[in-house]
Amino acid sequence: MSRRKAGRLTFGWYLTAFALVLALPPIVYSGYLTVRLASDARQMVTDEVRDKAATVLTASDELVGATISALDVLAGARSLREDDLGPFLEEAQNAARRLDAAIVVRDAQGRRLLHTRMPFGSPVAANEPDESERAILNIVARTGAPHVSGFHLSPETREPIVAVSVPVWGGIEVKRIVTAEIPIDAVHRVLIGVEPEDQPSRWASISDARGTILARSSQNATFSGTKLPGFEELIGRSGTWRGTNLVGVPVFGAYARSQLTGWTVAVGLPESALEAPLHLSVLKLVGLGILLGALAGVAALLLSRRIAGTYRTLARLARDLGEGRRVDAPDLPIAEADLVAQALAQAARDLGDRDASLAAARAELEGRVAERTSALAEQTELLTATLENMDQGLLMIDRDGRVVIYNRRVTELLDIPEEVLAAGPTLADLTMFQVEHDDFVSEDDAARAFDNLRRVMGPSHVYERRRSNGLVIEVRTVPLAGGGAVRTYTDITARKRAEERIAHMARHDALTALPNRVLLRERLDEHLHARAAAPLALICVDLDRFKTVNDTLGHPAGDALLRGVAERVRGVLREGELVARLGGDEFALLQTQAEQPHGARDLAERLVAAMRPPMSVEGHRIPVGYSLGIAVAPRDGTSADALFKAADLALYRAKADGRGGYRFFEPAMDAAAQERQTLEVELREAIARDELEVHYQPILDLATDRVCGHEALVRWRHPARGLLSPAMFVPLAEEIGLIDAIGARVLALACREAARWPMELRVSVNVSARQLEGDGLFDAVTRALREARLPASRLELEITESALMQDAKGVLRVLGALREIGVSIAMDDFGTGFSSLGYLRRFPSDKIKIDRSFVQDLDNPQTAAIVRAIVGLGARLGMTITAEGVETQEQLALVRNEGCSQAQGYLIGRPAPPSALPARDASAA
């Protein structure tokens, strides 16, 4: 028997060490639980304080929200807009009782008109507002939105309150302001409804936007009206903090801010209350960890001794087996050790059982073969089911060309009886069967089918065949490696119809069902290439002011108008004429079977007659404006691009000549277009090179006979053409989108020059209708005033009546904003446009400028009467009246006698550059 080598440790020693290791985890885990419990307890208290702050914030928001809703109802009362507020008093008192608050009504200047806690009509109702009230009223009047104040004393009752105010609108401006004065006690009641006063270790408070405490759950009388400690350090909408309260006690708290009121809700408790529950839990867990570690160590020690005894028994059995002695397996207490002992005893017996094991293995192998055979049969059945249920018809042909496999779907797609296929026919037999039963739509289709028979055994190929019943079949043939082939038949009828629909949609307009630009271009190219010498006409049609219909009545009305136009055009077409919608409000017609240009003129006259009656759209009678441009081939071009270009140029000329008619292309139009394109390039370069300059024409004050200002007029000093007037380039600038840049440049130069004049002189700048779109004009004006340091009151902007027709609401908004900063607005060329009295009422104008055409005709009694009426109307509306185009002393005397305030014209002075102004002061005329 061998002995244990010296210096090696026994198995029992290792088990003892293992027992000690097992005792360590409970101790470590108890420590972990202690830390985790402390963290969880602190987090639980933090979450509870946060939730309480959020609950109090919700309650205060509901109080203010209910008050705003009640005030909105009062603000909508008709009796509130009357001069006599007696009928409104009862509504206000009812609301005051419901809200437990005082209701106050003030006018736009802040004077109190009504107070529900004061006798109606008493002197207090006329008191002026104090500073805090005036600040609140200014905010409400400026923003037009409800406002919630902070802590302050009511001027009438001297009790602490918070004020909730909403505007009362009179048209587009605030007429009055209605306020609810909520007592601080009401805020305190809301607070203690969520956080009772009897909480010994926790408090809650509500502070206004400046940090002044409105209410506190405990000691409310002491803290109300004081500053919340550490308010300036509270950042964000919510959070937690540590600090000291008003009496110096260390506290922990959470806060939340209201987006509705700006108030801050704070909930806190002493740090000692936060930490106290943790100490006892820590002691318990530490004791429990030590106890568990001791128990685990004792149990592991006892268990290790039992395992060591079993190990010694197994060592003895192994030595007996190695020395050839008989081995009897004893019962051992450990299952694994007992298995080892049994295995040693079984080893000898297993040698005798070897043959039996081999027999069992053979039986298992035979069973597996049977299972695989059954699985193969199931796969065969599955393949057959798949073949019979597939969506495609299938034929398998052997190397002799005979059908050996087919499925039910092929009999349905080809209408070939199953008995014919079951007989094993060749593909040639099947094709002959189809010919005999008229299955081909034409002889060419039948011939192509016989031709494809020769390719069956060749490479893979696909072709389509249309049957006489309308089905379209895709035939795909794939050769097999061992000879023969597989042919599939797929019904693609639905796909072909979808492709046809897509092809139709690609060449037709979805809204009007007319051909589109693609189809028109194809037909035009076909006629130009097939019949190059035959004349034809291309007519481009554009609807006038179609955008106005979309903007005023909406896009559905615009779509209905387009459909109606399409129907009218269809109604006048004859053979050889095609109409297409190119996009938007653009149409085009192609005429191919008429003598030109007489045929084109006749078609244009038919279109004019069809378009003349107004169209009824959604209950509106809409006149259809139009312009037509006509190009004739081959006179005006022999390609589609050339004809479209010529027709577009003719259309452009028709629009320029007044719209509502048609024009044939003339070579001069192309030259004019080239000239316009050159002018456009030069204008862009002129802006970049700063070639634009401003001249100034004086305006005379007829009361003092002194110059009161100048009108700024832009000029282009062209390097080759000399000094160009605005009529030469401003319309082009408006069309190509350069008017904003030019307008901003003129404003900057005019403001800079006016800043050098005496303070009593003003500068007037013309504004295009395009500049009034969006906020670009407001930004350009404020920037020019700021950079020139020119007071806004010295700037006057002139707009035409037609500018209001583009987007009246948007224009009024921009002009209203400009007037708010002090800029004056003048209506230029009055009398030449719509001269709507409605625009005079709504339009924020300070001056009316009578067009020169009236001044030139003042000798006519009717014209003089119109001017007199305009002067009287302007005087009643508080507007200055300026007569334009005064060129003679007689005209000056006439406009003075008619009551005009100012005069402007060549008699007063011609436009001149700044250096040529006679004197930059208010000189006599």
Side-chain angles (χ1 to χ4, degrees):
M1 179 182 298
S2 62
R3 296 183 177 273
R4 178 173 60 88
K5 294 183 178 180
R8 293 193 177 182
L9 300 177
T10 64
F11 184 69
W13 191 94
Y14 282 105
L15 288 178
T16 301
F18 175 70
L20 295 176
V21 172
L22 288 179
L24 289 177
I27 298 174
V28 174
Y29 185 68
S30 65
Y32 166 77
L33 285 180
T34 300
V35 175
R36 182 62 181 270
L37 181 60
S39 175
D40 290 348
R42 184 181 299 276
Q43 185 61 44
M44 181 177 65
V45 174
T46 301
D47 292 343
E48 180 182 357
V49 173
R50 282 178 180 268
D51 293 342
K52 184 60 69 176
T55 303
V56 174
L57 183 65
T58 300
S60 66
D61 280 353
E62 289 175 351
L63 170 65
V64 176
T67 303
I68 291 174
S69 298
L71 292 179
D72 284 338
V73 173
L74 287 177
R78 182 176 298 176
S79 57
L80 183 55
R81 289 163 174 79
E82 302 295 335
D83 294 334
D84 180 13
L85 294 179
F88 176 75
L89 178 60
E90 183 178 356
E91 295 182 52
Q93 289 172 339
N94 291 336
R97 284 191 291 272
R98 289 194 304 272
L99 297 175
D100 190 18
I103 302 301
V104 183
V105 179
R106 299 178 175 85
D107 62 16
Q109 287 72 39
R111 293 186 292 270
R112 289 182 291 278
L113 306 177
L114 179 147
H115 195 295
T116 57
R117 294 189 180 177
M118 298 294 172
F120 181 69
S122 62
V124 73
N127 283 349
E128 295 294 330
D130 58 24
E131 289 301 322
S132 61
E133 289 181 299
R134 189 176 303 279
I136 295 172
L137 297 176
N138 288 341
I139 292 173
V140 175
R142 185 176 69 254
T143 63
H147 179 266
V148 181
S149 77
F151 179 98
H152 70 283
L153 299 180
S154 169
E156 291 80 16
T157 63
R158 306 310 297 172
E159 65 175 336
I161 62 166
V162 289
V164 180
S165 304
V166 299
V168 179
W169 293 94
I172 62 174
E173 58 187 10
V174 176
K175 182 176 182 181
R176 289 173 178 167
I177 298 172
V178 59
T179 302
E181 294 183 347
I182 303 174
I184 293 301
D185 289 341
V187 181
H188 181 249
R189 287 194 295 274
V190 170
L191 176 60
I192 63 176
V194 179
E195 182 68 13
E197 296 177 286
D198 55 355
Q199 292 286 342
S201 61
R202 190 168 63 201
W203 53 265
S205 68
I206 301 177
S207 307
D208 63 17
R210 298 188 302 272
T212 302
I213 296 177
L214 303 177
R216 197 174 190 272
S217 60
S218 62
Q219 298 178 294
N220 182 58
T222 301
F223 293 99
S224 179
T226 62
K227 190 75 170 183
L228 180 67
F231 177 80
E232 289 77 11
E233 286 74 33
L234 305 184
I235 60 175
R237 288 186 53 199
S238 63
T240 60
W241 90 98
R242 279 183 167 81
T244 57
N245 61 13
L246 290 174
V247 295
V249 176
V251 294
F252 167 81
Y255 68 94
R257 282 200 174 98
S258 169
Q259 288 185 315
L260 174 64
T261 63
W263 295 353
T264 301
V265 171
V267 177
L269 72 165
E271 285 278 2
S272 59
L274 176 65
E275 302 294 342
L278 304 180
H279 299 307
L280 182 59
S281 298
V282 170
L283 293 176
K284 290 180 179 180
L285 285 174
V286 170
L288 179 62
I290 294 173
L291 178 60
L292 290 176
L295 292 177
V298 172
L301 183 60
L302 294 176
L303 183 61
S304 65
R305 289 183 176 179
R306 189 171 184 84
I307 294 173
T310 303
Y311 176 76
R312 286 192 291 272
T313 301
L314 288 176
R316 178 177 55 80
L317 292 176
R319 285 197 302 272
D320 291 343
L321 182 61
E323 294 172 355
R325 290 195 295 268
R326 179 182 178 84
V327 177
D328 293 325
D331 291 332
L332 297 177
I334 299 177
E336 290 81 1
D338 187 69
L339 287 176
V340 173
Q342 296 294 335
L344 293 174
Q346 186 67 29
R349 293 194 297 269
D350 286 347
L351 293 175
D353 296 337
R354 182 179 55 186
D355 292 340
S357 298
L358 291 175
R362 179 177 180 179
E364 181 181 0
L365 180 60
E366 291 175 349
R368 290 181 180 179
V369 171
E371 290 176 1
R372 293 295 299 273
T373 302
S374 176
L376 183 59
E378 291 177 359
Q379 291 178 357
T380 301
E381 293 178 1
L382 180 61
L383 181 60
T384 302
T386 301
L387 188 66
E388 289 301 317
N389 292 281
M390 63 188 298
D391 187 57
Q392 297 157 313
L394 181 141
L395 293 177
M396 181 176 288
I397 295 87
D398 62 14
R399 65 179 60 197
D400 297 326
R402 292 189 174 276
V403 175
V404 292
I405 294 178
Y406 64 91
N407 64 354
R408 186 181 68 255
R409 181 61 173 160
V410 77
T411 66
E412 297 170 352
L413 289 177
L414 302 181
D415 289 329
I416 298 177
E418 188 171 355
E419 55 270 20
V420 174
L421 295 171
T426 63
L427 284 181
D429 296 335
L430 294 180
T431 305
M432 185 58 67
F433 177 87
Q434 291 171 321
V435 171
E436 293 172 354
H437 289 79
D438 296 327
D439 195 55
F440 294 98
V441 296
S442 66
E443 293 182 359
D444 290 340
D445 269 2
R448 187 157 64 96
F450 279 109
D451 183 62
N452 282 325
L453 293 178
R454 294 192 295 269
R455 302 165 53 197
V456 170
M457 301 303 175
S460 299
H461 61 279
V462 180
Y463 71 94
E464 296 175 3
R465 183 172 79 82
R466 187 179 296 274
R467 294 189 58 206
S468 58
N469 62 2
L471 286 181
V472 181
I473 307 296
E474 179 187 79
V475 183
R476 181 182 299 273
T477 304
V478 179
L480 298 176
V486 173
R487 173 170 282 189
T488 58
Y489 300 83
T490 305
D491 183 0
I492 60 171
T493 308
R495 189 184 78 190
K496 297 299 289 185
R497 289 174 181 169
E499 291 174 353
E500 291 170 358
R501 286 196 299 272
I502 292 172
H504 180 272
M505 292 170 62
R507 288 170 172 77
H508 289 78
D509 175 51
L511 178 63
T512 62
L514 293 177
N516 60 11
R517 183 187 296 271
V518 175
L519 182 54
L520 177 68
R521 181 64 179 258
E522 290 177 355
R523 297 289 173 82
L524 180 57
D525 286 337
E526 289 174 4
H527 285 284
L528 290 173
H529 295 156
R531 304 175 60 189
L536 57 84
L538 179 66
I539 303 178
C540 288
V541 183
D542 187 69
L543 302 184
D544 297 335
R545 299 185 179 90
F546 174 72
K547 183 177 182 297
T548 304
V549 176
N550 271 343
D551 293 342
T552 56
L553 301 181
H555 289 281
D559 292 345
L561 178 63
L562 291 174
R563 287 192 291 268
V565 169
E567 287 301 320
R568 287 191 180 183
V569 175
R570 282 197 193 98
V572 303
L573 294 183
R574 297 174 182 172
E575 185 178 357
E577 296 173 349
L578 173 72
V579 60
R581 182 184 176 212
L582 304 183
D585 59 347
E586 298 179 8
F587 296 81
L589 293 95
L590 177 63
Q591 186 182 55
T592 59
Q593 298 181 16
E595 294 185 3
Q596 300 301 343
H598 308 293
R601 181 174 288 105
D602 174 66
L603 176 54
E605 294 291 348
R606 280 184 275 140
L607 289 174
V608 168
M611 296 289 192
R612 187 173 293 117
M615 187 171 294
S616 179
V617 176
E618 297 183 358
H620 299 275
R621 299 283 291 171
I622 302 176
V624 182
Y626 56 87
S627 298
L628 286 71
I630 306 172
V632 176
R635 184 188 69 186
D636 301 329
T638 57
S639 69
D641 291 337
L643 289 176
F644 268 111
K645 178 182 177 182
D648 283 338
L649 290 173
L651 176 63
Y652 186 79
R653 173 59 61 86
K655 286 178 172 290
D657 289 348
R659 305 175 184 268
Y662 62 87
R663 294 290 182 274
F664 280 88
F665 171 75
E666 299 173 359
M669 295 179 183
D670 193 20
Q674 295 292 337
E675 173 69 17
R676 178 183 177 279
Q677 185 175 4
T678 300
L679 189 64
E680 176 182 343
V681 173
E682 292 177 345
L683 180 57
R684 293 183 186 276
E685 294 175 351
I687 295 175
R689 293 196 297 261
D690 200 17
E691 293 177 356
L692 300 180
E693 57 187 54
V694 178
H695 289 197
Y696 300 89
Q697 185 176 28
I699 302 172
L700 181 67
D701 187 334
L702 295 179
T704 62
D705 279 340
R706 298 177 68 85
V707 173
C708 59
H710 295 81
E711 179 179 358
L713 301 169
V714 65
R715 298 290 188 267
W716 178 7
R717 191 166 296 281
H718 193 281
R721 307 183 190 188
L723 194 65
L724 301 182
S725 70
M728 298 290 292
F729 61 90
V730 167
L732 176 61
E734 290 180 332
E735 184 178 343
I736 63 178
L738 294 179
I739 193 63
D740 288 335
I742 294 176
R745 178 59 178 167
V746 171
L747 275 169
L749 292 175
C751 290
R752 190 183 308 162
E753 177 61 27
R756 301 189 181 99
W757 301 343
M759 290 296 294
E760 61 271 19
L761 294 184
R762 306 173 73 183
V763 65
S764 181
V765 179
N766 290 280
V767 174
S768 165
R770 291 291 180 87
Q771 291 178 260
L772 292 169
E773 298 175 359
D775 297 325
L777 177 62
F778 182 84
D779 296 338
V781 169
T782 54
R783 183 170 55 253
L785 292 173
R786 183 177 63 253
E787 293 176 353
R789 298 184 178 180
L790 182 72
S793 59
R794 295 184 60 194
L795 175 63
E796 180 177 87
L797 299 181
E798 298 185 11
I799 71 167
T800 61
E801 299 171 68
S802 59
L804 295 176
M805 297 296 295
Q806 304 296 323
D807 178 12
K809 291 183 180 179
V811 171
L812 291 175
R813 179 180 60 81
V814 174
L815 296 181
L818 289 169
R819 290 193 76 198
E820 285 185 2
I821 66 174
V823 176
S824 300
I825 307 298
M827 184 178 290
D828 196 14
D829 300 333
F830 187 81
T832 61
F834 294 90
S835 302
S836 169
L837 296 182
Y839 286 138
L840 282 180
R841 178 177 59 84
R842 297 167 52 205
F843 177 54
S845 177
D846 303 287
K847 178 189 289 188
I848 293 176
K849 301 189 75 173
I850 300 175
D851 186 69
R852 62 184 296 113
S853 61
F854 289 93
V855 175
Q856 301 296 324
D857 195 33
L858 270 178
D859 293 334
N860 187 325
Q862 293 181 344
T863 303
I866 293 174
V867 171
R868 197 175 303 115
I870 295 174
V871 171
L873 181 62
R876 287 174 175 80
L877 294 177
M879 298 181 182
T880 302
I881 306 299
T882 301
E884 295 183 298
V886 177
E887 298 180 356
T888 66
Q889 290 291 346
E890 291 76 9
Q891 291 173 351
L892 180 62
L894 287 173
V895 298
R896 190 191 301 272
N897 292 336
E898 294 299 340
C900 292
S901 310
Q902 299 173 352
Q904 181 180 354
Y906 285 172
L907 179 65
I908 313 301
R910 292 177 176 271
S915 59
L917 293 180
R920 297 179 182 178
D921 58 7
S923 59

